[in-house]
Amino acid sequence: MTEVELTAPNGRKITLPTGLFINNEFVKGSSSEKLASLDPATEEIICEVESATADDVDKAVKAARAAFIDPAWRDMIPEERARLLHKVADLVEEHKEDLYTLQAWDVGKLYPGSLGVESDLVVKCFRYYAGWADKINGTTIPISTNKFGYTIRQPVGVCGAISPWNFPLVNCSWKLGPALATGCCIIMKPSEYSPLAALYLAKLFKEAGYPPGVVQVVNGSGQEAGNALTTHLDVDKIAFTGSTATGKAVIKAATVNMKKVTVEAGGKSAFLVFDDADLEQAAKWAFAGGMGNAGQICSANSRVLVQEGAQEKFVGYFTQLAKNSKVGLPFDKGTTQGPQASKMQYDKVLQYITDANAEGANLVTGGGPCKVGDGKGYFIEPTIFTGVTNKMKIFNEEIFGPVIAVSTFKTEDEAVALANDSAYGLAAMVFTENMKTAVRTAMKLQTGMVWINESNNYDVKMPFGGVKQSGLGRELGESTLEAYLEEKVIHVNLGLQL
């Protein structure tokens, strides 16, 4: 097994496997090229891991197909699949300091928040789908005195899963949980910007007792490993989370053998603040839901629409929160915002700020790089613009950074029209003390999700996903199980003769 000994910024010593996890072993890739993990807070290389080629992906797919038809997995009773998922949840809890140290180090996520909130989300996800493993039932259908029919729901087969860098472990669990509960085999392809935590997680699946080939991890580039997974003729389903542009490419590639596809793509969520709202609470939720994780949240409320009478007071609260935010190193006590995950993302966000200034938006606070420590790292100030119109880039395009566009509206109808004026339809948030207004508005919003008087407060039992160019299908909740199942209809003749 290829592995490396690491000492993290918080002093934690971690033994990390660096190979591709194929057939329950960490192995070298077929290419001499390696994938470097770069600390976005210091711009220093943490380590290098194996990078999968198309040949390596093919090996993983063959191992997954063999595992899928092997009685050790194929005939495993649902209660045993549940037990294995519960064991993984136990191991995540046991090893969470290592897992979330790696995640914070790899992509700049805040360590305390990852260790608490995100760890809970991952554990709850595995336990939730463990609970579903023995509740996947069919139906019986009476047809006539001589015939009846019944349905069974069977695992779709070999699944490819492509996860993003902004929530590496959370997004892995959202795909692994339902796939394994339903009896599928799954090959994870983490983002090339966040390869480390998924490899450590793979080690835990082996320790939990999963048969070889059921769970595999192939780090690599999207162009090489991701494309090989989406176009492979022996992969039955692809689950993708990432940008809308890449999501479209995944959908197109999956047509090669008509794979089942779920895509959770980009967003530009509108946060509607009516003038009767608790404005101080609205500002706190808007800040957490828009600036959290350095703004790198697909459902981030990056468009804030405020009723005219409430604008001055709301923006005052909101601005103060931004000014009080502490941009710093992910492991430092008191840090509320870490770096952007990569130089590419850093440059992209700064360009949006430049464009907003050029288009005439009013810069209230922030607006540039933020120096932390010795000046290295990809840190950007929490940035708020007001006077934003629906013709500006920062109103329409997903920034994926700590930049919030504030616009105003007069009436409920105008608010809904502005919120729906988007190519995206992932989420929206409505703040008002009037529940009639809240529910009526939620019904009109063209999104897959609406939060009322909160923002981005996920629950594993609730489906997650969008409409329009924000994706296809849903993750989480009972809904996502269908993406990993095929319904088979069986006709039974009780004596009908020709």
Side-chain angles (χ1 to χ4, degrees):
M1 182 178 77
T2 54
E3 60 184 30
V4 64
E5 301 293 328
L6 301 172
T7 302
N10 61 354
R12 193 163 189 86
K13 295 185 182 300
I14 301 172
T15 300
L16 178 73
T18 59
L20 307 173
F21 186 64
I22 299 176
N23 219 24
N24 262 16
E25 299 295 336
F26 289 95
V27 299
K28 288 184 175 294
S30 56
S31 169
S32 61
E33 292 186 11
K34 300 292 188 288
L35 191 62
S37 170
L38 186 75
D39 180 355
T42 65
E43 302 179 49
E44 296 176 356
I45 292 177
I46 300 168
C47 68
E48 292 184 333
V49 301
E50 297 293 316
S51 184
T53 65
D55 286 341
D56 297 317
V57 170
D58 185 57
K59 291 174 186 175
V61 173
K62 287 177 178 175
R65 180 59 62 188
F68 184 66
I69 62 175
D70 190 318
W73 180 246
R74 184 194 64 198
D75 298 339
M76 184 179 288
I77 62 172
E79 290 82 359
E80 180 64 9
R81 293 203 302 269
R83 188 194 66 79
L84 288 176
L85 275 172
H86 278 302
K87 179 61 175 175
V88 170
D90 292 341
L91 289 169
V92 169
E93 289 186 308
E94 182 182 338
H95 294 270
K96 65 181 181 180
E97 288 84 0
D98 285 354
L99 282 166
Y100 292 95
T101 292
L102 287 169
Q103 181 176 266
W105 195 8
D106 201 13
V107 288
K109 295 177 73 68
L110 302 188
Y111 177 67
S114 294
L115 188 62
V117 175
E118 288 192 34
S119 175
D120 287 345
L121 286 172
V122 170
V123 170
K124 286 178 180 177
C125 184
F126 287 137
R127 296 206 189 283
Y128 175 78
Y129 286 107
W132 270 110
D134 62 354
K135 300 173 185 66
I136 298 169
N137 304 314
T139 58
T140 58
I141 305 162
I143 298 172
S144 71
T145 56
N146 293 317
K147 180 178 179 177
F148 79 96
Y150 66 96
T151 67
I152 56 175
R153 295 156 79 200
Q154 297 179 308
V156 70
V158 173
C159 302
I162 301 173
S163 61
W165 47 260
N166 59 331
F167 288 91
L169 289 166
V170 166
N171 271 285
C172 279
S173 71
W174 286 13
K175 295 165 177 58
L176 287 162
L180 297 172
T182 54
C184 295
C185 294
I186 184 166
I187 303 160
M188 291 294 312
K189 205 297 284 184
S191 168
E192 50 265 52
Y193 295 103
S194 58
L196 303 188
L199 288 174
Y200 196 101
L201 185 62
K203 183 170 65 170
L204 302 185
F205 274 91
K206 181 175 182 178
E207 185 177 342
Y210 276 88
V214 174
V215 177
Q216 301 179 87
V217 176
V218 289
N219 278 309
S221 71
Q223 186 174 5
E224 175 81 11
N227 186 60
L229 202 53
T230 55
T231 58
H232 202 291
L233 294 175
D234 207 22
V235 172
D236 304 299
K237 182 212 159 26
I238 287 287
F240 169 82
T241 301
S243 71
T244 294
T246 307
K248 290 178 180 179
V250 166
I251 293 168
K252 185 176 181 180
T255 61
V256 67
N257 64 336
M258 297 185 71
K259 293 176 177 64
K260 294 185 79 166
V261 180
T262 50
V263 170
E264 195 272 281
K268 191 68 180 175
S269 302
F271 187 106
L272 283 61
V273 184
F274 288 90
D275 56 15
D276 68 339
D278 181 331
L279 298 181
E280 188 171 6
Q281 277 296 309
K284 289 178 179 179
W285 280 104
F287 190 82
M291 300 286 196
N293 202 39
Q296 298 168 141
I297 306 172
C298 55
S299 53
N301 48 252
S302 54
R303 290 185 296 153
V304 175
L305 313 178
V306 189
Q307 200 158 18
E308 286 181 346
Q311 182 194 19
E312 183 177 353
K313 195 171 182 180
F314 173 85
V315 171
Y317 286 132
F318 197 40
T319 302
Q320 195 58 51
L321 289 166
K323 290 181 176 179
N324 290 343
S325 181
K326 181 183 177 183
V327 181
L329 298 174
F331 293 96
D332 283 0
K333 186 178 181 180
T335 296
T336 58
Q337 181 185 308
Q340 307 311 122
S342 67
K343 178 69 160 54
M344 179 185 69
Q345 194 61 28
Y346 173 80
D347 290 340
K348 176 186 172 186
V349 174
L350 291 178
Q351 185 59 54
Y352 273 112
I353 292 173
T354 298
D355 292 343
N357 283 314
E359 289 183 320
N362 175 47
L363 178 63
V364 177
T365 189
C370 185
K371 183 176 179 180
V372 173
D374 61 5
K376 291 185 178 180
Y378 309 130
F379 299 91
I380 296 176
E381 298 172 315
T383 300
I384 299 171
F385 286 98
T386 59
V388 176
T389 72
N390 61 349
K391 304 300 181 185
M392 296 179 182
K393 282 186 178 180
I394 60 167
F395 184 94
N396 291 295
E397 297 182 16
E398 184 177 36
I399 298 172
F400 230 58
V403 181
I404 305 294
V406 180
S407 306
T408 59
F409 65 88
K410 291 184 175 67
T411 66
E412 180 183 318
D413 286 344
E414 185 184 0
V416 170
L418 280 170
N420 289 341
D421 185 16
S422 176
Y424 300 107
L426 186 54
M429 301 78 183
V430 179
F431 267 76
T432 174
E433 293 296 288
N434 187 324
M435 282 298 104
K436 289 183 179 180
T437 300
V439 173
R440 186 171 59 241
T441 302
M443 294 288 288
K444 297 175 185 176
L445 293 169
Q446 297 167 2
T447 60
M449 304 175 288
V450 179
W451 278 282
I452 294 174
N453 292 333
E454 62 175 6
S455 177
N456 283 293
N457 191 14
Y458 313 116
D459 190 287
V460 67
K461 298 183 290 295
M462 299 288 282
F464 185 100
V467 299
K468 296 195 276 190
Q469 293 190 44
S470 286
L472 295 173
R474 295 292 182 268
E475 293 195 297
L476 298 183
E478 181 182 359
S479 301
T480 197
L481 293 171
E482 295 306 319
Y484 295 90
L485 293 166
E486 293 286 9
E487 186 174 47
K488 180 180 288 184
V489 177
I490 298 173
H491 297 261
V492 181
N493 184 352
L494 296 177
L496 181 66
Q497 296 183 353
L498 291 177

